């Protein structure tokens, strides 16, 4: 049996024997692949991780990377899980063979204490890569804190107020600007009949937020404060109630000719209920082919399959000024209920906060008009309960598990049918050759046909 551990120092075990992984780039390579287990990792991404001070020249990247892969495979021996893909490598790992997968599965089942028991320290503490730790490990630490918050919520609900006080005092010292831990401390003090101390803790965090960030306490903290003032023995709800959103633009009534793509995309987004990867589908094609129209229609059709909400963001990728991912994340975090004053400054922290907020929620995220991989990669949810639907003029190779569907121009019959809906069957029947000529002149592009059809209908 083979097992891998990343929630602490990097470990690889096979048949009860711990394997020795060579120091340096081989460890960075294995760590990178395990953090994205069962998802292909492109060569460019691996090169950024392995050579932080500058990768070898373009003609040497692949041969040099192949040497590192060969060395890692030799070290793993019978436990080798590294496979070659079209443009990179993947670690094919059973869900139970990786502690990170087990952690997420336990957390999703509400078994928070068991999930946290898998942590042996800071993730990959013996792997030297600043980029890896900044982009991959920091979000993991945020993920752990969210699970820790949920475990404490369960303990509060069970009335273990006094037992929580030492832990919460330590957590508020270690994370002084994390309002959730402060609120939980106030609730634990309140539940222990220490009202004066609870109010003092609230004043302490209120003053700290004002001094450090220049902001007022969040609505959550204010609700906790009201609970203490009212003397209510029942603690206030710790988690902001989830409100299902539907931000989708209106569906179009003249959709036609895309039934196969529509059905395939919908099937891919619903995915395998037992899967662990987030379903990501990209609708690509030339300008005017109707990518956004198809995307919005698919999203509307799947609303019942994603009852926790449908989030919609225009990324403005076709113009010269695509939207900043950090700005988009701030918009998404506000939409899912995070107080604007609590939104982190750094892109990575915002991405982690968004993943935490939508974790285990059946949410469909629709990203319209994406500029490319770099704009989208930080916007993805982290759990397979959600799904992502993207429209773009560009291929988005490199996103984990993405499936791309290209939208072609409309066939002649579908183009004529669209024109018929816009100007009426009588006019098309009177001049069928002219209708076909219009479709051909428009190149089968729905956008062009709608413009021409609108002008004809107005005459």
């Amino acid at each position: 049996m083979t097992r891998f551990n990343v929630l602490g120092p990097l470990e690889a075990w096979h048949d009860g024997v711990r394997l020795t992984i060579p120091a340096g780039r081989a460890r960075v390579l294995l760590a990178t692949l395990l953090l994205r287990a069962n998802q292909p990792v492109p060569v460019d991404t691996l090169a950024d991780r392995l050579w932080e001070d500058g990768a070898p020249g373009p003609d040497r990247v692949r041969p040099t990377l192949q040497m590192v892969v060969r060395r890692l495979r030799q070290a793993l021996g019978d436990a080798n899980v590294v496979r070659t893909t079209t443009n990179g490598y993947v670690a094919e790992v059973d869900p139970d063979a990786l502690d990170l997968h087990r952690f997420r599965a336990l957390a999703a089942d509400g078994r928070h204490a068991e999930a946290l028991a898998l942590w042996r320290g800071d993730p990959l503490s013996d792997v030297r890569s600043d980029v890896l730790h900044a982009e991959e490990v920091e979000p993991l630490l945020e993920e752990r804190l969210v699970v820790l918050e949920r475990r404490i919520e369960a303990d509060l609900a069970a009335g273990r107020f006094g037992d929580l006080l030492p832990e919460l005092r330590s957590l508020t010292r270690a994370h002084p600007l994390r309002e959730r831990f402060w609120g939980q401390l106030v609730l634990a003090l309140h539940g222990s009949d220490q009202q004066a101390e609870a109010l003092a803790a609230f004043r302490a965090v209120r003053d700290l937020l004002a001094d450090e960030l220049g902001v007022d306490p969040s609505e959550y903290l204010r609700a906790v404060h009201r609970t203490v003032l009212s003397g209510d023995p029942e603690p206030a709800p710790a988690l902001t109630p989830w409100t299902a959103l539907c931000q989708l633009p209106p569906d179009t009534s003249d959709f036609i000719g895309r039934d196969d793509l529509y059905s395939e995309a919908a099937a891919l987004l619903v995915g395998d209920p037992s899967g662990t990867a987030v379903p990501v589908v990209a609708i690509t094609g030339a300008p005017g082919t109707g990518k956004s129209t198809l995307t919005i229609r698919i999203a509307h059709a799947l609303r019942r399959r994603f009852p926790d909400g449908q989030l919609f963001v225009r990324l403005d990728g076709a113009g010269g000024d695509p939207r900043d991912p950090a700005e988009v994340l701030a918009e998404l975090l506000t939409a899912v209920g995070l107080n604007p004053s609590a939104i982190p400054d750094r892109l990575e922290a915002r991405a982690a906060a968004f993943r935490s907020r939508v974790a285990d929620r059946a949410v469909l995220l629709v990203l319209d008009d994406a500029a490319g991989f770099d704009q989208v990669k930080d916007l993805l949810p982290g759990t397979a309960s959600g799904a992502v639907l993207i429209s773009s003029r560009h291929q988005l190779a490199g996103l984990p598990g993405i499936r791309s569907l290209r939208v072609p121009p409309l066939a002649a019959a579908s183009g004529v049918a669209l024109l018929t809906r816009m100007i009426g069957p009588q006019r098309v029947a009177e001049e069928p050759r002219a209708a076909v000529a219009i479709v051909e002149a428009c190149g089968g592009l729905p956008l062009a046909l709608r413009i021409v059809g609108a002008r004809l209908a107005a005459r």
Side-chain angles (χ1 to χ4, degrees):
M1 178 180 177
T2 301
R3 292 187 295 109
F4 296 96
N5 297 324
V6 296
L7 302 179
L10 177 63
E11 293 181 349
W13 295 78
H14 184 66
D15 291 340
V17 177
R18 183 172 176 176
L19 306 178
T20 300
I21 307 301
R25 294 191 176 97
R27 295 183 73 82
V28 177
L29 174 62
L30 179 59
T32 301
L33 294 176
L34 289 175
L35 289 176
R36 304 187 185 189
N38 303 317
Q39 301 174 8
V41 183
V43 169
D44 290 346
T45 300
L46 293 171
D48 290 341
R49 300 290 188 277
L50 270 60
W51 290 281
E52 293 182 303
D53 53 352
D59 57 336
R60 295 183 54 217
V61 168
R62 286 183 180 273
T64 309
L65 178 58
Q66 289 169 355
M67 292 175 58
V68 179
V69 171
R70 190 178 308 117
R71 187 181 180 201
L72 175 59
R73 284 171 168 166
Q74 290 173 348
L76 292 174
D78 293 338
N80 175 44
V81 294
V82 180
R83 307 287 182 259
T84 304
T85 64
T86 303
N87 189 40
Y89 295 91
V90 61
E92 294 183 351
V93 179
D94 291 336
D96 291 337
L98 181 63
D99 60 351
L100 177 58
H101 286 173
R102 297 198 303 277
F103 165 75
R104 288 171 172 163
L106 289 168
D109 287 341
R111 297 159 66 182
H112 303 122
E114 293 176 63
L116 293 166
L118 295 174
W119 286 67
R120 299 167 292 111
D122 289 338
L124 303 170
S125 54
D126 57 346
V127 178
R128 298 183 60 183
S129 170
D130 292 340
V131 175
L132 181 74
H133 282 268
E135 296 187 4
E136 305 278 3
V137 172
E138 186 173 333
L140 271 185
L141 294 172
E142 172 65 25
E143 199 171 335
R144 178 186 179 275
L145 289 176
V146 170
V147 175
L148 179 57
E149 289 171 347
R150 292 176 178 174
R151 195 226 80 207
I152 294 172
E153 293 299 336
D155 289 342
L156 286 171
R160 302 187 185 99
F161 306 118
D163 295 340
L164 288 171
L165 289 176
E167 180 182 18
L168 285 168
R169 287 193 172 103
S170 176
L171 287 170
T172 52
R173 287 193 297 269
H175 307 279
L177 298 178
R178 198 171 187 92
E179 294 183 63
R180 186 70 61 184
F181 288 145
W182 278 102
Q184 291 171 332
L185 174 60
V186 173
L187 289 173
L189 289 166
H190 172 59
S192 302
D193 294 326
Q194 301 181 52
Q195 270 62 37
E197 291 83 352
L199 293 171
F202 175 80
R203 289 193 297 270
V205 65
R206 180 193 61 193
D207 295 344
L208 181 66
L209 292 171
D211 293 341
E212 295 292 332
L213 302 177
V215 299
D216 294 326
S218 65
E219 175 55 33
Y220 162 71
L221 270 179
R222 293 196 296 272
V224 168
H225 185 224
R226 290 193 295 269
T227 297
V228 178
L229 292 176
S230 68
D232 189 344
E234 292 296 326
L239 295 177
T240 304
W242 181 274
T243 302
L245 300 170
C246 180
Q247 298 181 327
L248 300 175
D251 196 1
T252 180
S253 60
D254 56 9
F255 179 84
I256 196 168
R258 306 296 193 195
D259 292 342
D260 291 344
L261 286 171
Y262 171 87
S263 299
E264 185 175 1
L268 290 171
L269 287 167
V270 172
D272 178 4
S274 62
T276 58
V278 179
V280 181
V281 173
I283 306 297
T284 65
T289 51
K291 301 180 296 297
S292 294
T293 301
L294 175 59
T295 298
I296 293 168
R297 188 170 186 83
I298 294 168
H300 274 286
L302 296 178
R303 284 185 59 191
R304 291 188 178 182
R305 300 302 297 267
F306 296 95
D308 288 328
Q310 305 83 42
L311 303 172
F312 181 87
V313 182
R314 297 192 190 279
L315 298 180
D316 299 336
D321 189 21
R323 295 186 63 188
D324 183 353
E327 173 196 336
V328 173
L329 282 167
E331 178 180 319
L332 288 170
L333 285 168
T334 302
V336 297
L338 191 65
N339 191 304
S341 65
I343 294 176
D345 293 330
R346 297 180 60 238
L347 171 63
E348 294 82 2
R350 288 184 179 186
F354 178 64
R355 289 193 296 270
S356 298
R357 190 69 177 105
V358 300
D360 304 321
R361 297 286 185 180
V363 172
L364 177 62
L365 174 61
V366 182
L367 303 173
D368 184 46
D369 192 17
F373 170 80
D374 288 337
Q375 188 186 31
V376 171
K377 63 184 177 67
D378 294 303
L379 308 180
L380 305 187
T383 59
S385 58
V388 182
L389 180 59
I390 307 171
S391 69
S392 178
R393 296 184 182 185
H394 312 284
Q395 294 296 323
L396 300 172
L399 285 178
I402 190 169
R403 298 290 298 274
S404 293
L405 303 177
R406 187 163 185 82
V407 182
L410 287 173
S414 295
V416 171
L418 175 57
L419 191 62
T420 301
R421 289 187 182 182
M422 300 191 69
I423 66 175
Q426 182 176 349
R427 294 180 69 178
V428 172
E430 290 173 352
E431 300 182 80
R433 291 184 179 178
V436 172
I438 289 173
V439 173
E440 292 177 350
C442 291
L445 298 179
L447 178 60
L449 281 168
R450 288 191 176 95
I451 293 173
V452 172
R455 292 176 177 173
L456 288 172
R459 291 181 184 177

Short mmCIF file of all heavy atoms in Angstrom, two decimals, residues 326-363:
data_model
loop_
_atom_site.label_atom_id
_atom_site.label_comp_id
_atom_site.label_asym_id
_atom_site.label_seq_id
_atom_site.Cartn_x
_atom_site.Cartn_y
_atom_site.Cartn_z
N ALA A 326 -7.90 40.06 -8.64
CA ALA A 326 -8.10 40.49 -7.26
C ALA A 326 -9.39 41.29 -7.12
O ALA A 326 -10.15 41.14 -6.15
CB ALA A 326 -6.90 41.31 -6.78
N GLU A 327 -9.67 42.15 -8.10
CA GLU A 327 -10.91 42.94 -8.09
C GLU A 327 -12.12 42.02 -8.24
O GLU A 327 -13.15 42.20 -7.57
CB GLU A 327 -10.88 43.95 -9.23
CG GLU A 327 -12.18 44.71 -9.45
CD GLU A 327 -12.24 45.39 -10.80
OE1 GLU A 327 -11.16 45.67 -11.38
OE2 GLU A 327 -13.36 45.61 -11.29
N VAL A 328 -12.01 41.02 -9.12
CA VAL A 328 -13.11 40.08 -9.32
C VAL A 328 -13.38 39.30 -8.04
O VAL A 328 -14.54 39.10 -7.65
CB VAL A 328 -12.77 39.12 -10.48
CG1 VAL A 328 -13.83 38.03 -10.60
CG2 VAL A 328 -12.67 39.90 -11.79
N LEU A 329 -12.33 38.88 -7.35
CA LEU A 329 -12.50 38.13 -6.11
C LEU A 329 -13.17 38.98 -5.04
O LEU A 329 -13.99 38.48 -4.26
CB LEU A 329 -11.15 37.60 -5.62
CG LEU A 329 -10.64 36.36 -6.36
CD1 LEU A 329 -9.19 36.10 -6.04
CD2 LEU A 329 -11.48 35.13 -6.00
N ALA A 330 -12.81 40.25 -4.98
CA ALA A 330 -13.47 41.13 -4.02
C ALA A 330 -14.97 41.21 -4.31
O ALA A 330 -15.81 41.18 -3.39
CB ALA A 330 -12.84 42.52 -4.07
N GLU A 331 -15.34 41.28 -5.58
CA GLU A 331 -16.75 41.31 -5.96
C GLU A 331 -17.45 40.00 -5.58
O GLU A 331 -18.57 40.01 -5.04
CB GLU A 331 -16.86 41.54 -7.47
CG GLU A 331 -18.27 41.54 -8.02
CD GLU A 331 -18.31 41.76 -9.52
OE1 GLU A 331 -17.53 42.60 -10.01
OE2 GLU A 331 -19.11 41.08 -10.19
N LEU A 332 -16.78 38.87 -5.83
CA LEU A 332 -17.37 37.58 -5.51
C LEU A 332 -17.52 37.40 -3.99
O LEU A 332 -18.54 36.89 -3.51
CB LEU A 332 -16.51 36.46 -6.09
CG LEU A 332 -16.57 36.30 -7.61
CD1 LEU A 332 -15.50 35.32 -8.08
CD2 LEU A 332 -17.94 35.83 -8.06
N LEU A 333 -16.50 37.82 -3.24
CA LEU A 333 -16.57 37.68 -1.79
C LEU A 333 -17.70 38.51 -1.20
O LEU A 333 -18.39 38.08 -0.27
CB LEU A 333 -15.23 38.07 -1.17
CG LEU A 333 -14.10 37.06 -1.32
CD1 LEU A 333 -12.77 37.66 -0.93
CD2 LEU A 333 -14.38 35.81 -0.50
N THR A 334 -17.90 39.69 -1.74
CA THR A 334 -19.01 40.52 -1.28
C THR A 334 -20.34 39.86 -1.61
O THR A 334 -21.27 39.85 -0.80
CB THR A 334 -18.93 41.92 -1.92
OG1 THR A 334 -17.69 42.53 -1.59
CG2 THR A 334 -20.07 42.80 -1.43
N ALA A 335 -20.42 39.26 -2.80
CA ALA A 335 -21.66 38.62 -3.23
C ALA A 335 -22.03 37.44 -2.34
O ALA A 335 -23.21 37.19 -2.09
CB ALA A 335 -21.54 38.15 -4.68
N VAL A 336 -21.02 36.71 -1.84
CA VAL A 336 -21.32 35.53 -1.02
C VAL A 336 -21.35 35.86 0.47
O VAL A 336 -21.32 34.97 1.31
CB VAL A 336 -20.31 34.39 -1.29
CG1 VAL A 336 -20.41 33.93 -2.72
CG2 VAL A 336 -18.88 34.82 -0.96
N GLY A 337 -21.40 37.15 0.80
CA GLY A 337 -21.72 37.53 2.16
C GLY A 337 -20.57 37.97 3.03
O GLY A 337 -20.77 38.21 4.23
N LEU A 338 -19.36 38.11 2.49
CA LEU A 338 -18.25 38.57 3.32
C LEU A 338 -18.31 40.08 3.46
O LEU A 338 -18.50 40.81 2.48
CB LEU A 338 -16.92 38.16 2.70
CG LEU A 338 -15.69 38.35 3.58
CD1 LEU A 338 -15.75 37.43 4.80
CD2 LEU A 338 -14.41 38.06 2.81
N ASN A 339 -18.15 40.56 4.68
CA ASN A 339 -18.13 42.00 4.92
C ASN A 339 -16.98 42.63 4.15
O ASN A 339 -15.85 42.15 4.23
CB ASN A 339 -17.96 42.26 6.43
CG ASN A 339 -18.21 43.71 6.77
OD1 ASN A 339 -17.58 44.60 6.22
ND2 ASN A 339 -19.12 43.95 7.69
N PRO A 340 -17.21 43.69 3.38
CA PRO A 340 -16.12 44.31 2.61
C PRO A 340 -14.90 44.66 3.45
O PRO A 340 -13.77 44.59 2.97
CB PRO A 340 -16.78 45.56 2.02
CG PRO A 340 -18.23 45.22 1.93
CD PRO A 340 -18.51 44.35 3.11
N SER A 341 -15.12 45.01 4.72
CA SER A 341 -13.99 45.36 5.57
C SER A 341 -13.13 44.15 5.91
O SER A 341 -11.99 44.30 6.36
CB SER A 341 -14.49 46.02 6.86
OG SER A 341 -15.25 45.11 7.62
N ALA A 342 -13.68 42.95 5.72
CA ALA A 342 -12.94 41.73 6.06
C ALA A 342 -12.25 41.11 4.86
O ALA A 342 -11.58 40.09 5.00
CB ALA A 342 -13.89 40.71 6.68
N ILE A 343 -12.37 41.72 3.68
CA ILE A 343 -11.74 41.16 2.48
C ILE A 343 -10.23 41.36 2.57
O ILE A 343 -9.75 42.47 2.75
CB ILE A 343 -12.30 41.83 1.22
CG1 ILE A 343 -13.78 41.48 1.06
CG2 ILE A 343 -11.52 41.40 -0.02
CD1 ILE A 343 -14.46 42.17 -0.11
N PRO A 344 -9.44 40.29 2.44
CA PRO A 344 -7.97 40.42 2.53
C PRO A 344 -7.42 41.28 1.39
O PRO A 344 -8.07 41.50 0.36
CB PRO A 344 -7.48 38.98 2.41
CG PRO A 344 -8.67 38.11 2.68
CD PRO A 344 -9.86 38.90 2.23
N ASP A 345 -6.18 41.73 1.58
CA ASP A 345 -5.54 42.58 0.57
C ASP A 345 -4.92 41.76 -0.55
O ASP A 345 -5.02 42.14 -1.72
CB ASP A 345 -4.46 43.45 1.23
CG ASP A 345 -5.05 44.48 2.17
OD1 ASP A 345 -6.19 44.92 1.92
OD2 ASP A 345 -4.38 44.83 3.16
N ARG A 346 -4.27 40.65 -0.21
CA ARG A 346 -3.49 39.92 -1.20
C ARG A 346 -4.38 39.00 -2.03
O ARG A 346 -5.38 38.45 -1.56
CB ARG A 346 -2.40 39.10 -0.51
CG ARG A 346 -1.39 39.96 0.24
CD ARG A 346 -0.32 39.14 0.92
NE ARG A 346 0.43 38.36 -0.04
CZ ARG A 346 0.53 37.03 0.00
NH1 ARG A 346 -0.07 36.36 0.95
NH2 ARG A 346 1.24 36.38 -0.90
N LEU A 347 -3.98 38.84 -3.29
CA LEU A 347 -4.74 38.01 -4.23
C LEU A 347 -4.89 36.59 -3.69
O LEU A 347 -5.99 36.02 -3.70
CB LEU A 347 -4.04 37.98 -5.58
CG LEU A 347 -4.58 36.99 -6.62
CD1 LEU A 347 -6.01 37.32 -7.00
CD2 LEU A 347 -3.68 36.96 -7.86
N GLU A 348 -3.78 35.99 -3.23
CA GLU A 348 -3.83 34.60 -2.76
C GLU A 348 -4.78 34.44 -1.58
O GLU A 348 -5.52 33.46 -1.48
CB GLU A 348 -2.43 34.11 -2.39
CG GLU A 348 -1.46 34.01 -3.55
CD GLU A 348 -0.83 35.34 -3.90
OE1 GLU A 348 -1.12 36.35 -3.21
OE2 GLU A 348 -0.05 35.39 -4.87
N ALA A 349 -4.76 35.41 -0.67
CA ALA A 349 -5.63 35.34 0.50
C ALA A 349 -7.10 35.51 0.09
O ALA A 349 -7.99 34.86 0.67
CB ALA A 349 -5.23 36.40 1.51
N ARG A 350 -7.36 36.37 -0.88
CA ARG A 350 -8.75 36.52 -1.36
C ARG A 350 -9.23 35.22 -2.01
O ARG A 350 -10.38 34.81 -1.81
CB ARG A 350 -8.83 37.67 -2.37
CG ARG A 350 -8.68 39.04 -1.75
CD ARG A 350 -8.87 40.16 -2.77
NE ARG A 350 -8.74 41.46 -2.13
CZ ARG A 350 -8.96 42.62 -2.73
NH1 ARG A 350 -9.34 42.65 -4.01
NH2 ARG A 350 -8.82 43.77 -2.07
N ALA A 351 -8.35 34.60 -2.79
CA ALA A 351 -8.72 33.34 -3.43
C ALA A 351 -9.02 32.27 -2.39
O ALA A 351 -9.99 31.51 -2.52
CB ALA A 351 -7.60 32.87 -4.36
N ALA A 352 -8.20 32.21 -1.34
CA ALA A 352 -8.43 31.23 -0.27
C ALA A 352 -9.74 31.52 0.45
O ALA A 352 -10.50 30.59 0.79
CB ALA A 352 -7.26 31.25 0.70
N ALA A 353 -10.02 32.80 0.70
CA ALA A 353 -11.26 33.16 1.38
C ALA A 353 -12.48 32.79 0.53
O ALA A 353 -13.50 32.32 1.06
CB ALA A 353 -11.26 34.66 1.69
N PHE A 354 -12.38 32.98 -0.77
CA PHE A 354 -13.50 32.62 -1.65
C PHE A 354 -13.71 31.10 -1.65
O PHE A 354 -14.84 30.62 -1.55
CB PHE A 354 -13.24 33.12 -3.07
CG PHE A 354 -14.32 32.74 -4.04
CD1 PHE A 354 -15.61 33.23 -3.91
CD2 PHE A 354 -14.04 31.88 -5.10
CE1 PHE A 354 -16.61 32.87 -4.80
CE2 PHE A 354 -15.03 31.51 -6.00
CZ PHE A 354 -16.32 32.02 -5.85
N ARG A 355 -12.60 30.35 -1.76
CA ARG A 355 -12.74 28.90 -1.72
C ARG A 355 -13.37 28.44 -0.40
O ARG A 355 -14.20 27.52 -0.38
CB ARG A 355 -11.37 28.23 -1.91
CG ARG A 355 -10.82 28.35 -3.33
CD ARG A 355 -9.65 27.41 -3.53
NE ARG A 355 -8.53 27.75 -2.67
CZ ARG A 355 -7.55 28.58 -2.99
NH1 ARG A 355 -7.57 29.17 -4.17
NH2 ARG A 355 -6.56 28.83 -2.16
N SER A 356 -12.97 29.08 0.69
CA SER A 356 -13.52 28.71 1.99
C SER A 356 -15.02 29.02 2.06
O SER A 356 -15.81 28.24 2.60
CB SER A 356 -12.79 29.46 3.11
OG SER A 356 -11.42 29.12 3.14
N ARG A 357 -15.41 30.16 1.52
CA ARG A 357 -16.82 30.59 1.63
C ARG A 357 -17.74 29.69 0.81
O ARG A 357 -18.89 29.45 1.20
CB ARG A 357 -16.96 32.04 1.17
CG ARG A 357 -18.32 32.65 1.48
CD ARG A 357 -18.50 32.86 2.96
NE ARG A 357 -19.78 33.51 3.26
CZ ARG A 357 -20.85 32.89 3.77
NH1 ARG A 357 -20.80 31.61 4.03
NH2 ARG A 357 -21.95 33.55 4.02
N VAL A 358 -17.26 29.20 -0.34
CA VAL A 358 -18.13 28.38 -1.19
C VAL A 358 -17.83 26.89 -1.04
O VAL A 358 -18.42 26.07 -1.77
CB VAL A 358 -18.01 28.78 -2.68
CG1 VAL A 358 -18.42 30.23 -2.87
CG2 VAL A 358 -16.60 28.54 -3.21
N ALA A 359 -16.93 26.52 -0.11
CA ALA A 359 -16.59 25.11 0.08
C ALA A 359 -17.84 24.30 0.39
O ALA A 359 -18.67 24.69 1.22
CB ALA A 359 -15.57 24.97 1.21
N ASP A 360 -17.98 23.18 -0.32
CA ASP A 360 -19.08 22.23 -0.11
C ASP A 360 -20.44 22.83 -0.45
O ASP A 360 -21.47 22.26 -0.08
CB ASP A 360 -19.09 21.70 1.33
CG ASP A 360 -17.76 21.07 1.71
OD1 ASP A 360 -17.17 20.39 0.86
OD2 ASP A 360 -17.31 21.28 2.85
N ARG A 361 -20.45 23.95 -1.15
CA ARG A 361 -21.71 24.54 -1.61
C ARG A 361 -21.95 24.16 -3.07
O ARG A 361 -21.01 24.12 -3.87
CB ARG A 361 -21.68 26.06 -1.50
CG ARG A 361 -21.52 26.58 -0.08
CD ARG A 361 -22.80 26.42 0.71
NE ARG A 361 -22.69 27.01 2.04
CZ ARG A 361 -23.66 27.01 2.93
NH1 ARG A 361 -24.82 26.48 2.62
NH2 ARG A 361 -23.49 27.55 4.12
N ALA A 362 -23.19 23.90 -3.41
CA ALA A 362 -23.56 23.59 -4.79
C ALA A 362 -23.74 24.90 -5.55
O ALA A 362 -24.85 25.39 -5.74
CB ALA A 362 -24.83 22.75 -4.83
N VAL A 363 -22.61 25.48 -5.95
CA VAL A 363 -22.59 26.79 -6.60
C VAL A 363 -22.03 26.65 -8.01
O VAL A 363 -21.01 25.98 -8.22
CB VAL A 363 -21.73 27.79 -5.79
CG1 VAL A 363 -21.56 29.10 -6.55
CG2 VAL A 363 -22.37 28.05 -4.44
#
